[in-house]
PDB file of all heavy atoms in Angstrom:
ATOM      1  N   GLN V  40     -13.165  42.706 -95.650  1.00 88.00           N
ATOM      2  CA  GLN V  40     -14.240  42.334 -94.733  1.00 88.00           C
ATOM      3  C   GLN V  40     -14.670  40.887 -94.954  1.00 88.00           C
ATOM      4  O   GLN V  40     -14.916  40.147 -94.002  1.00 88.00           O
ATOM      5  CB  GLN V  40     -15.428  43.273 -94.905  1.00 88.00           C
ATOM      6  CG  GLN V  40     -15.181  44.661 -94.392  1.00 88.00           C
ATOM      7  CD  GLN V  40     -16.350  45.602 -94.671  1.00 88.00           C
ATOM      8  OE1 GLN V  40     -17.325  45.235 -95.326  1.00 88.00           O
ATOM      9  NE2 GLN V  40     -16.234  46.819 -94.173  1.00 88.00           N
ATOM     10  N   SER V  41     -14.751  40.484 -96.221  1.00 91.00           N
ATOM     11  CA  SER V  41     -15.107  39.093 -96.529  1.00 91.00           C
ATOM     12  C   SER V  41     -14.060  38.124 -95.998  1.00 91.00           C
ATOM     13  O   SER V  41     -14.388  37.075 -95.433  1.00 91.00           O
ATOM     14  CB  SER V  41     -15.257  38.893 -98.036  1.00 91.00           C
ATOM     15  OG  SER V  41     -16.295  39.682 -98.536  1.00 91.00           O
ATOM     16  N   PHE V  42     -12.800  38.476 -96.197  1.00 88.00           N
ATOM     17  CA  PHE V  42     -11.713  37.626 -95.706  1.00 88.00           C
ATOM     18  C   PHE V  42     -11.764  37.502 -94.186  1.00 88.00           C
ATOM     19  O   PHE V  42     -11.643  36.408 -93.633  1.00 88.00           O
ATOM     20  CB  PHE V  42     -10.355  38.179 -96.148  1.00 88.00           C
ATOM     21  CG  PHE V  42      -9.190  37.438 -95.569  1.00 88.00           C
ATOM     22  CD1 PHE V  42      -8.820  36.203 -96.070  1.00 88.00           C
ATOM     23  CD2 PHE V  42      -8.475  37.974 -94.503  1.00 88.00           C
ATOM     24  CE1 PHE V  42      -7.749  35.510 -95.527  1.00 88.00           C
ATOM     25  CE2 PHE V  42      -7.410  37.285 -93.960  1.00 88.00           C
ATOM     26  CZ  PHE V  42      -7.045  36.056 -94.466  1.00 88.00           C
ATOM     27  N   MET V  43     -11.925  38.646 -93.513  1.00 87.00           N
ATOM     28  CA  MET V  43     -11.977  38.622 -92.054  1.00 87.00           C
ATOM     29  C   MET V  43     -13.197  37.833 -91.568  1.00 87.00           C
ATOM     30  O   MET V  43     -13.109  37.093 -90.586  1.00 87.00           O
ATOM     31  CB  MET V  43     -12.008  40.047 -91.496  1.00 87.00           C
ATOM     32  CG  MET V  43     -10.732  40.831 -91.747  1.00 87.00           C
ATOM     33  SD  MET V  43      -9.269  40.076 -91.070  1.00 87.00           S
ATOM     34  CE  MET V  43      -9.416  40.569 -89.385  1.00 87.00           C
ATOM     35  N   GLY V  44     -14.316  37.986 -92.256  1.00 89.00           N
ATOM     36  CA  GLY V  44     -15.509  37.227 -91.891  1.00 89.00           C
ATOM     37  C   GLY V  44     -15.294  35.734 -92.022  1.00 89.00           C
ATOM     38  O   GLY V  44     -15.689  34.950 -91.153  1.00 89.00           O
ATOM     39  N   ALA V  45     -14.645  35.336 -93.110  1.00 90.00           N
ATOM     40  CA  ALA V  45     -14.354  33.914 -93.314  1.00 90.00           C
ATOM     41  C   ALA V  45     -13.375  33.412 -92.254  1.00 90.00           C
ATOM     42  O   ALA V  45     -13.498  32.291 -91.756  1.00 90.00           O
ATOM     43  CB  ALA V  45     -13.783  33.692 -94.706  1.00 90.00           C
ATOM     44  N   MET V  46     -12.410  34.252 -91.907  1.00 88.00           N
ATOM     45  CA  MET V  46     -11.427  33.845 -90.909  1.00 88.00           C
ATOM     46  C   MET V  46     -12.074  33.692 -89.533  1.00 88.00           C
ATOM     47  O   MET V  46     -11.795  32.742 -88.804  1.00 88.00           O
ATOM     48  CB  MET V  46     -10.304  34.874 -90.848  1.00 88.00           C
ATOM     49  CG  MET V  46      -9.125  34.446 -90.017  1.00 88.00           C
ATOM     50  SD  MET V  46      -7.794  35.618 -90.156  1.00 88.00           S
ATOM     51  CE  MET V  46      -7.372  35.833 -88.452  1.00 88.00           C
ATOM     52  N   PHE V  47     -12.954  34.626 -89.166  1.00 86.00           N
ATOM     53  CA  PHE V  47     -13.588  34.588 -87.849  1.00 86.00           C
ATOM     54  C   PHE V  47     -14.553  33.421 -87.693  1.00 86.00           C
ATOM     55  O   PHE V  47     -14.802  32.988 -86.576  1.00 86.00           O
ATOM     56  CB  PHE V  47     -14.323  35.892 -87.566  1.00 86.00           C
ATOM     57  CG  PHE V  47     -13.406  37.038 -87.230  1.00 86.00           C
ATOM     58  CD1 PHE V  47     -13.438  38.208 -87.969  1.00 86.00           C
ATOM     59  CD2 PHE V  47     -12.497  36.944 -86.193  1.00 86.00           C
ATOM     60  CE1 PHE V  47     -12.595  39.267 -87.671  1.00 86.00           C
ATOM     61  CE2 PHE V  47     -11.648  37.993 -85.884  1.00 86.00           C
ATOM     62  CZ  PHE V  47     -11.695  39.159 -86.628  1.00 86.00           C
ATOM     63  N   THR V  48     -15.101  32.929 -88.792  1.00 90.00           N
ATOM     64  CA  THR V  48     -16.081  31.844 -88.696  1.00 90.00           C
ATOM     65  C   THR V  48     -15.477  30.473 -88.976  1.00 90.00           C
ATOM     66  O   THR V  48     -16.207  29.502 -89.114  1.00 90.00           O
ATOM     67  CB  THR V  48     -17.248  32.094 -89.676  1.00 90.00           C
ATOM     68  OG1 THR V  48     -16.721  32.198 -91.002  1.00 90.00           O
ATOM     69  CG2 THR V  48     -18.001  33.359 -89.319  1.00 90.00           C
ATOM     70  N   SER V  49     -14.156  30.389 -89.058  1.00 90.00           N
ATOM     71  CA  SER V  49     -13.525  29.105 -89.324  1.00 90.00           C
ATOM     72  C   SER V  49     -12.464  28.809 -88.263  1.00 90.00           C
ATOM     73  O   SER V  49     -12.235  29.593 -87.348  1.00 90.00           O
ATOM     74  CB  SER V  49     -12.883  29.112 -90.717  1.00 90.00           C
ATOM     75  OG  SER V  49     -11.739  29.947 -90.729  1.00 90.00           O
TER      76      SER V  49
END
Side-chain angles (χ1 to χ4, degrees):
Q40 289 176 355
S41 298
F42 174 76
M43 294 302 280
M46 189 173 132
F47 285 123
T48 58
S49 71

